[in-house]
Amino acid sequence: MSAFLLLSLLTDVLPAAEAEAAPVSDEAQPVTIEAEPAVQEAQPVTNEVEPNAAEAPPVTNEVLPAVEEQSEGTDELPEDEVVPGEERQTSEITGLFVERPESAVAFKGKDITFVAKVDSTGMLRKPNIKWLKGKWMDLGSKAGKHLQFKETYDRNSKVYTYEMSIIKVVDSDAGGYRCEVTSKDKCDSWTFDVTVEAAEETQPTNILEAFKRTKPKKEGKPKPEGGEAGEDEGDLDFSVLLKKREVKVEEKEEVDVWAILAAAKPCDYEKIAFEYGITDLRGMLKRLKKMKKFEPKKSDAFLKKLDDLYSVEKGKRIQLCVEVADPNAQVKWLKNGQEIKPSAKYVFESVGNLRKLTINKCNLSDDAAYECVVGEEKCFTEIFVKEPPVTITKPLDDMHVVVGDKVEFEIEVSEEGANVIWMKDGVEITRDLTRYRIKKDGKTHMLVINEATKDDIGLFSVFTNGGHSESDLEVEDKELEVLQSIADLTVKAAEQAMFKCEVSDEKVTGKWFKDGVEVIASNRIKMTHTGRIHKLTIDDVKPEDAGDYTFVPDGYALSLSAKLNFLEIKIDYVPRQEPPKIHLDTTGSMVNKNTIIVVAGNKLRLDVEITGDPAPTVSWKKGDKEITEAEGRVRVETRKTLSSFVIEGAERSDEGRYTITVINPAGEDKAELTVKIVDVPDPPEHVKCTGVGEDTATIIWEAPKFDGGAPIKGYLMERKKKGSQRWTKLNFDIHESTTYEAKKMIEGTLYEMRVFAVNGIGISQPSATSKPFMPIAPTSEPTRLLVEDVTDTTCALKWRPPERLGAGGIDGYIIEWCKEGETEWVQANEQPVEKNSYRVRNLPVGEKLLFRVFAVNIAGRSPPATLQQAVTIREIMEHPKIRLPRQLRTKFIRRVGEKVNLVIPFQGKPRPSVSWSKDGQPLDPKVVNVRTSEVDTILFIRSSEREHSGKYTLTVQIENMEDKATVEIQIVDKPGPPMAVTVTDVWGFNAALEWQPPKDTGNCEILGYTIQKADLKTKEWFTVYEHNRRPSCTVSDLVMGNEYNFRIFSENLCGLSDEAAVSKNKAVIAKTGLIQKPPSYKEMDMSRSPKFITPLVDRCVIAGYSAAISCAVRGFPKPKIVWMKNKMIIGEDPKFIMQNNQGVLTLNIRKPSLFDGGKYTCKAINDLGEDEVECKLEVRVATEKVEERK
């Protein structure tokens, strides 16, 4: 019985506890119970239970994702389970991933982490990784408290580990994810899914606790052999299992109860809880509330909600659309929780049940969460804005520099803040490389190399996500030119020796050597470097200073040498006179015996040794002018035996013949020498562009007027883009010609050129910048060349513009013709014509001619468009024909004073003669203007009068052929008043009227008459009939006892007549059967002066809202009413409407403004006097009213 009970309990309990129990320790031995099939499918459990089984470690509640996907009741193990005794089989990883993130089930409110590992052994730089949700959502921009990313690097294994953690998982985190890794030209991706489930609080169930034995009934019972003490003692106690079984049964019943509660109304909760024995009503309500959260809620307000995600490109338009249940429902649109107001950017639409939000010109600020609210219900979505690719609008130029020059690569991109990558020979240039500086200024990006070296030669590239550009950098060695070498010196003791040289580069430094040993500066020896000049000065020369001196520029395989000779002087006293002698040194800078060449700007010091006893007198002259200055730019320094002629900074004016004369009592000596100043040449002149190609331009210039005293060796050219400050050298070798063809230019870009002249002294200043020119290619040939018209001496051609214009556009067209069979073409137009048609004139009559058309722009002529067949030049006869417009085929009616402008086209060849006539008579040119062209004629009347009415005939004639057309013009005016208005009969309450038509009908038919009546008491006119066609009528409904006057207006096409005809007699409606008795009393005189019985009241009105002020007046006879504003009479201003109803006066002001405020006065005047009232009207704007309320 006990075994049967155990088997039945296990059959019911184990399947129920299977999902909750955790895997038991691997050390436990499995127990197999071969009884029922359901028992065989259960997980193996251990039969070895320790006495303290209650202290066993708790069973885990975590379930692997692969296990959840396994269907219930299968015998196969999940993928992550390991069969005892077998090793785990790992799948081979391919691509860049070493470890991929796997799909998983996340519980709501818990944290979950996904790991990806990448091996970087074969990568040149760090890989880039992206975590994406769905197809486009980049999770990197959503990093924060909810999404966290981590990156680590193991230097030993060279493995990057990337982690993505979702903190406190919510329902919206479910979906498909993708992990992408890229490294230069390699890419790999992996997709995985995340499923979100609710976290259920379950208490672990340990079935082993149910297997307990009761205490033994008899203490002296022997222990079984081979068993532990007390292990098998006592009977099995299944009470705990029975309790568990009862709990499970209740849980199965509760499932039905919860289903019943979920479908029931809240008012029935208490009844159902009492019926099924639920006592914890608070817990029941909490669980029901939790259950409802996971149930899909049906929306009463929305028939169709927003999608979860929208994607749009930057600058494009996107439309969000929902469908509501109530077509009259009002919706609100929210962006990040803030309500959106309608504007030009955000447009709201409501069409039936559809509610649309259109967002125009999306930008990055529109990347946000959006809500649509209807009453208490909401629906949500997110918009992701994708940026368009960044393109390069200004590409790189090839660079050609010398060593030490500064290099600047510059590009412009389409968007500010774009990410740009610079590379050299395929290797990225980072900011860690100090040789290169990367600068960014708005859309401009620059790569700067301060001092170029040979190592910088290569291909430089720049990349954006929408394009790239390349540039070749060529670096040449800098050549150093010696402008002035050092010369040998011979000096005496205690004198000064100075070696000087000049090189072409101011930045070049160098060292001085004596006999191969570097010279060290001291108080007596000084070394200076000023601009391009290097000096070595030795004061107080001593015999040991003699030797070979060498100057070596740094960085160049070049040296300049000279010798210092020490002259030892021995003086012997000879008491006799010696005639003077000039010892002129003809070595050094002298070209020949008496000519010295000096470079402009340099210093000339000519030391002339003089002998003679006694010491002679020295005199220097330039021409006939003696030089006596001892100081200044040009001076003479004289010592006992030495005279020095010095020119500081030689100029062109210093050039000429100089004479030195020495005199003493023993005689005199004279020497002549010529100083020639040489300089760099003047800049070249008249630099201009004479022709351009697609990427080339031909530049010419004139040689400089002054060659600097030395022959011109050649020229150097530079160019730059217009607006830029950076000049680019075009040649490093001297170009000898005055014509140069510049190449490798960008079509459609404006360039400027300048030229340097080079002679033996140096390089001139740059020439004046040429006029901007643009390298462009000629256009393609014009298309569809056709002959439009031919006469006996002319031919009209027309054509279409070329299909390819290029960057230079079109300046015009050149037309040429030649006789058939000949090759000599004649240009028809001196200047290019801009229109696409041209009439070639003065052609030979009867000849067969060919025509061709060139398109011309700054690049020159295009290929010609030529007629395939020759054209015979002769007149083509065409009959004259008038094409009368449709509106002129009927009577043309205009009012007096309006202008008449008739344009009537005609055709015919040769050109017909045109004539106009009116009613058979020629037109008077003083009354009617007529202008005639080749294709139409115009009849114009500036201000029409009735006399202009009539039939106008147009005649178009060619020889004996002609065509005619007639236009009838009628000028109309308002009619005059009717004539002889008479009351012909009065009966009852009726009166019969007759009249004659007006004498002046206004030159058109009378359309009708307007009849008005007025009684003698009020004298106010009321309209009785309008558009009465006959010259008679009967007026009814007259009032008994009144007398009536009648007036009549005539009406035609122009309107009513300005004046009305008043009836000659009156209609008296008598009282029948009554006899008037004259009064026996004197009638009261009702005459009185005007008096206001109700005054005007001050008012304050709102600007823009119509207002009215009113008062009441009494007086007889009826007074005349005058309204005034600020003492100024209000005339017939349409803004004001004045009404008088039985003495009640009203002034209506239409939409008053601040200008309409002021003092208004109403004045009443009759023959007996006058009276007036005033009021103040104040006009305020609406904002002032709102501020007063606040």
Side-chain angles (χ1 to χ4, degrees), residues 821-887:
E822 297 184 2
T823 59
E824 183 180 355
W825 290 88
V826 179
Q827 184 170 326
N829 53 325
E830 295 181 358
Q831 300 295 330
V833 295
E834 297 182 358
K835 295 183 179 180
N836 294 340
S837 60
Y838 185 75
R839 181 175 289 274
V840 183
R841 304 181 183 277
N842 301 323
L843 298 175
V845 180
E847 293 286 348
K848 290 186 177 181
L849 303 181
L850 293 173
F851 295 89
R852 67 183 183 184
V853 180
F854 298 87
V856 181
N857 64 4
I858 191 174
R861 293 186 178 187
S862 70
T866 307
L867 286 177
Q868 299 299 324
Q869 296 180 353
V871 180
T872 303
I873 306 303
R874 62 184 179 185
E875 188 69 56
I876 300 175
M877 184 68 69
E878 182 180 354
H879 288 271
K881 186 174 183 180
I882 299 173
R883 298 189 176 276
L884 193 65
R886 186 182 300 275
Q887 69 270 19

Side-chain angles (χ1 to χ4, degrees), residues 136-365:
W136 301 108
M137 187 191 299
D138 188 356
L139 299 179
S141 60
K142 307 294 182 181
K145 294 183 179 180
H146 186 61
L147 280 174
Q148 297 180 0
F149 301 92
K150 184 179 178 182
E151 175 185 336
T152 58
Y153 178 66
D154 188 350
R155 295 184 179 275
N156 297 325
S157 61
K158 295 185 178 181
V159 172
Y160 286 92
T161 302
Y162 301 95
E163 296 182 0
M164 181 185 72
S165 300
I166 305 176
I167 309 301
K168 295 184 179 179
V169 175
V170 296
D171 292 335
S172 60
D173 292 328
Y177 289 76
R178 188 167 79 255
C179 178
E180 289 186 356
V181 60
T182 57
S183 176
K184 201 174 180 181
D185 55 346
K186 298 179 180 179
C187 180
D188 196 2
S189 66
W190 183 255
T191 57
F192 58 96
D193 297 325
V194 176
T195 306
V196 178
E197 292 187 356
E200 298 182 1
E201 297 180 0
T202 58
Q203 297 180 354
T205 303
N206 192 350
I207 300 178
L208 298 180
E209 295 180 357
F211 296 93
K212 295 182 179 179
R213 293 182 179 271
T214 60
K215 294 182 180 180
K217 296 180 180 180
K218 296 181 180 180
E219 298 180 357
K221 188 175 181 179
K223 299 178 182 180
E225 295 181 0
E228 295 183 358
E231 179 181 359
D232 297 327
E233 292 183 1
D235 298 329
L236 289 172
D237 184 6
F238 300 104
S239 59
V240 177
L241 260 177
L242 292 175
K243 289 180 181 179
K244 290 288 183 179
R245 184 181 183 86
E246 291 177 359
V247 170
K248 293 299 179 181
V249 172
E250 289 179 359
E251 285 183 359
K252 290 181 180 179
E253 292 178 354
E254 283 180 7
V255 170
D256 296 333
V257 171
W258 294 121
I260 295 172
L261 286 170
K265 296 181 179 180
C267 59
D268 298 332
Y269 286 168
E270 188 175 356
K271 178 180 178 182
I272 296 172
F274 178 78
E275 181 179 353
Y276 290 94
I278 300 175
T279 57
D280 187 5
L281 297 179
R282 186 185 300 271
M284 179 192 72
L285 293 176
K286 286 183 179 180
R287 181 165 180 178
L288 281 175
K289 185 176 181 181
K290 186 176 180 181
M291 289 172 60
K292 290 183 179 180
K293 285 184 179 179
F294 303 113
E295 294 179 357
K297 183 179 179 182
K298 294 184 179 179
S299 175
D300 296 330
F302 293 99
L303 298 178
K304 179 182 178 182
K305 293 187 177 182
L306 295 170
D307 295 340
D308 294 336
L309 185 66
Y310 292 89
S311 177
V312 63
E313 292 185 1
K314 183 179 178 182
K316 301 294 185 180
R317 186 184 70 170
I318 190 171
Q319 190 176 75
L320 308 182
C321 181
V322 298
E323 186 175 358
V324 296
D326 185 3
N328 299 321
Q330 300 294 326
V331 302
K332 287 184 180 180
W333 294 93
L334 306 180
K335 173 184 175 182
N336 289 336
Q338 300 294 325
E339 184 175 356
I340 301 174
K341 300 297 183 182
S343 62
K345 183 175 181 64
Y346 300 101
V347 180
F348 296 170
E349 294 183 62
S350 177
V351 181
N353 292 64
L354 298 179
R355 301 294 184 267
K356 300 178 181 179
L357 169 63
T358 303
I359 306 175
N360 295 314
K361 296 182 179 179
C362 293
N363 51 40
L364 295 181
S365 63

Side-chain angles (χ1 to χ4, degrees), residues 681-684 687 701 704 712 714-719 727 729 731 734-735 754-759 762-767:
D682 288 348
V687 180
W701 61 89
I712 299 294
Y715 302 92
L716 298 175
M717 281 68 69
E718 290 184 351
R719 79 173 180 221
W727 289 92
K729 293 181 179 179
N731 63 317
I734 295 176
H735 182 73
R754 67 182 183 184
V755 183
F756 299 81
V758 182
N759 64 2
I763 302 174
S764 70
Q765 293 295 317
S767 66

Side-chain angles (χ1 to χ4, degrees), residues 1089-1108:
S1089 63
K1091 182 176 181 61
F1092 284 93
I1093 57 177
T1094 302
L1096 293 172
V1097 180
D1098 293 344
R1099 289 201 60 188
C1100 178
V1101 299
I1102 302 300
Y1105 294 88
S1106 298

Side-chain angles (χ1 to χ4, degrees), residues 434-445:
T434 56
R435 279 192 48 75
Y436 304 98
R437 287 193 301 119
I438 299 175
K439 298 195 298 184
K440 182 189 300 183
D441 183 11
K443 297 182 180 180
T444 302
H445 295 256

Side-chain angles (χ1 to χ4, degrees), residues 732-748:
F732 289 91
D733 297 329
I734 295 176
H735 182 73
E736 297 180 357
S737 174
T738 57
T739 302
Y740 183 78
E741 183 179 10
K743 300 180 180 180
K744 295 184 179 180
M745 292 188 286
I746 301 174
E747 184 181 6

